[in-house]
Amino acid sequence: MPNQTQRVRLEEVDWAAILPWVRLFRSFRQAVHPPKLLLGLLLVFLLYLGGMVMDAMWGVHVYPDELRQFNQLDEVQFAQWQENREERIDATLRRALQWQVDAMGQRVDLTRDKDRFPRIRASINDYYAQRYETLRKGYDARRKESPDRADPDAWQRTIAELQAQRQERLQAIDALHPAGVFETALRWEIDAFERLITGASALRFGVRELLSGDALPSDTVAGAMRDMFVAVPAWLWGVHRGLTIAYVAYALLLWSLLGATIARLCALHACQGKPGPAGEAFLFALRRWIWFLISPLMPLALVSLIGLCVLGVGGLLLLNLPGLDVLGGLLFGLALALGAVIALMLIGLIGGASLMQPAIAIEGTDAFDAVSRVYNYVLFGRPWHWLFYSFLAMIYGAICYLFMGIVIFLTILMTHHFARLGVLEAASTHGVNKLDAMLPPPTFGDLAYWPDFSMLGLSGKVAGVIVWAWVSACVGLLPAFAITFYQAANTWIYLLLRRASDGTEMDEIYLDPRAAEVADETTAHPVPARIEGEPS
């Protein structure tokens, strides 16, 4: 009699054990943890506030299209463009306001002073206020004389068209208004980041154009990254170097403290299954803030030092000292070798900069150890693993970012829709719904706004600022999520690379002695941890 087959019932598959990289899909759940999001929101607020303060100190003098012209023209052509920019703005303003000249029979004052654009906006608002009053009086007269002739729906359509026209013309004027350096760079970076997200979601990477040498389309991942990491920094460094140095120093100080706190929470969340107290994570980052600060700067310092050696060998000796040029030629091979070291250092920095904070947050080590670990994993240990993990994290992060954007957009849209229903016509000004003046109907992909104070009274302006603050906090959760997801995903990438290279378990993390005692008391199965004083 044949043996009966033994059946095995499979209830669950541990995909994380079979495919370790699926742990990257836990990044979203860790990124939306409220304490991390609030820390990210605080970081976004402080970065924005610092940039606006520096704009106020440096002055508003960046003209429209300056950044694009800088990256398209050579130095001489850009200087000529700067010399003629005022005349071009004046000519564009005259063309944009010709309708008002024809309608009112008088020219608009275009005198170049700090009040020029507010004065033009006020004249446009006055014109449409008069138009509205004329239409309203005509409608009220028809409604009194013959109610049948008064069509409320037609009246509402007329007013809506009038306000849309007013908004369009105001936006055309605002597009010509000079802006601050930080404000201009921020708008460009946000636009490029959104193109990066949509390009990654649609799998448009621009690889074919990169390999063929063709121009990179701006809607591809490569094109968006070029704009973010090449075009904007080149313009900032080339035209506004002082503000750039000041803001980068300010941003690095914030990132080395608040960004490191988020990285520590992500590390605890990944290794222990829970993020731990935010206060302890902040103290951890505060005690090591100097290492968090200098870890990405150390490779740049080394590159600069090696570059000075290349300068001496390949430049000074070879070109400037007669009789020693032969020695310089013999040593030029050394200069090439040093150039190769610089290239490897820069490649490792580009690939591993995002892993340095997770390395310190997980290992509790210094910047020297973090840099050596990251360079070993990215360049020599598991470079293909790193490429795969980074590619997967970018695709998954783009999808999660779009999902968060949809949630925030629907939140504001539904709130605006239902709140607007309760605004009476008597509370409107010149046909503009009072809520619309405080909070315009949101547009997906462009949630930032500013209240239309010209349509609001004193109390309405105060209420508008309060509403703007709440909505801005809601919108700020989107970049805050981008920060927390960035830290969570890179934490997982570091843990996966460490396991593949060193065989270290995923749940091994450095704990301060006091935190380790708490962990031993609160769990029956404490996670493996490296305690201060024990060997690595």
Side-chain angles (χ1 to χ4, degrees), residues 366-406:
D366 55 35
F368 300 95
D369 182 68
V371 171
S372 64
R373 284 174 179 270
V374 168
Y375 268 78
N376 178 56
Y377 297 159
V378 172
L379 282 181
F380 311 110
R382 293 293 187 271
W384 292 108
H385 286 65
W386 171 79
L387 281 173
F388 173 69
Y389 299 150
S390 299
F391 173 81
L392 186 63
M394 182 172 60
I395 300 299
Y396 180 57
I399 296 172
C400 293
Y401 183 86
L402 287 175
F403 172 75
M404 287 293 293
I406 292 172

Side-chain angles (χ1 to χ4, degrees), residues 47-56 58-63 67 174-191 232 235-236 240 243 247 448-450:
L47 289 173
Y48 180 78
L49 180 63
M52 297 306 292
V53 169
M54 290 184 187
D55 268 357
W58 257 262
V60 177
H61 53 263
V62 178
Y63 281 75
L67 200 157
D174 291 341
L176 300 173
H177 197 298
V181 177
F182 171 77
E183 182 182 357
T184 302
L186 179 63
R187 289 177 179 175
W188 186 282
E189 292 284 359
I190 290 175
D191 177 69
V232 175
W235 171 70
L236 288 172
H240 307 285
L243 185 144
Y247 185 78
Y449 79 101
W450 189 247

Side-chain angles (χ1 to χ4, degrees), residues 118-323:
R119 185 170 60 246
I120 294 173
R121 284 182 58 92
S123 69
I124 293 175
N125 283 325
D126 291 342
Y127 169 77
Y128 279 97
Q130 295 173 13
R131 286 283 311 275
Y132 171 78
E133 287 299 325
T134 301
L135 291 173
R136 185 186 61 80
K137 290 178 180 178
Y139 175 73
D140 290 343
R142 288 195 303 272
R143 188 171 55 179
K144 292 178 180 179
E145 294 174 0
S146 178
D148 296 338
R149 292 177 54 197
D151 186 353
D153 294 335
W155 160 254
Q156 293 297 333
R157 287 194 300 270
T158 302
I159 295 304
E161 292 172 0
L162 193 68
Q163 295 307 326
Q165 189 182 74
R166 165 183 167 272
Q167 195 63 32
E168 180 181 353
R169 287 172 171 171
L170 286 175
Q171 289 174 354
I173 297 302
D174 291 341
L176 300 173
H177 197 298
V181 177
F182 171 77
E183 182 182 357
T184 302
L186 179 63
R187 289 177 179 175
W188 186 282
E189 292 284 359
I190 290 175
D191 177 69
F193 182 73
E194 290 175 350
R195 284 188 275 113
L196 172 67
I197 295 298
T198 54
S201 302
L203 303 181
R204 294 194 302 268
F205 296 100
V207 177
R208 182 181 62 81
E209 290 83 2
L210 279 174
L211 296 178
S212 62
D214 296 337
L216 280 173
S218 60
D219 61 346
T220 61
V221 171
M225 293 182 70
R226 172 204 60 201
D227 292 341
M228 290 179 66
F229 302 115
V230 177
V232 175
W235 171 70
L236 288 172
W237 186 255
V239 184
H240 307 285
R241 190 168 302 175
L243 185 144
T244 301
I245 294 174
Y247 185 78
V248 168
Y250 170 74
L252 279 176
L253 288 173
L254 285 177
W255 182 251
S256 64
L257 188 57
L258 294 179
T261 303
I262 298 172
R264 178 61 176 178
L265 289 174
C266 291
L268 292 170
H269 207 161
C271 295
Q272 295 184 323
K274 56 182 180 180
E280 291 183 8
F282 178 78
L283 292 177
F284 177 92
L286 186 62
R287 286 193 291 267
R288 293 166 179 81
W289 77 269
I290 188 63
W291 301 129
F292 284 111
L293 176 65
I294 69 173
S295 57
L297 301 178
M298 287 177 57
L300 291 177
L302 186 57
V303 165
S304 300
L305 181 62
I306 298 174
L308 290 176
C309 297
V310 175
L311 172 67
V313 173
L316 296 179
L317 288 179
L318 184 62
L319 299 176
N320 297 321
L321 297 178

Side-chain angles (χ1 to χ4, degrees), residues 20-54:
W21 49 266
V22 301
R23 289 180 172 89
L24 282 169
F25 297 124
R26 301 177 184 176
S27 300
F28 175 80
R29 182 176 60 186
Q30 295 178 3
V32 295
H33 183 242
K36 297 193 195 79
L37 278 179
L38 290 177
L39 282 170
L41 185 61
L42 176 61
L43 178 57
V44 169
F45 171 74
L46 292 177
L47 289 173
Y48 180 78
L49 180 63
M52 297 306 292
V53 169
M54 290 184 187

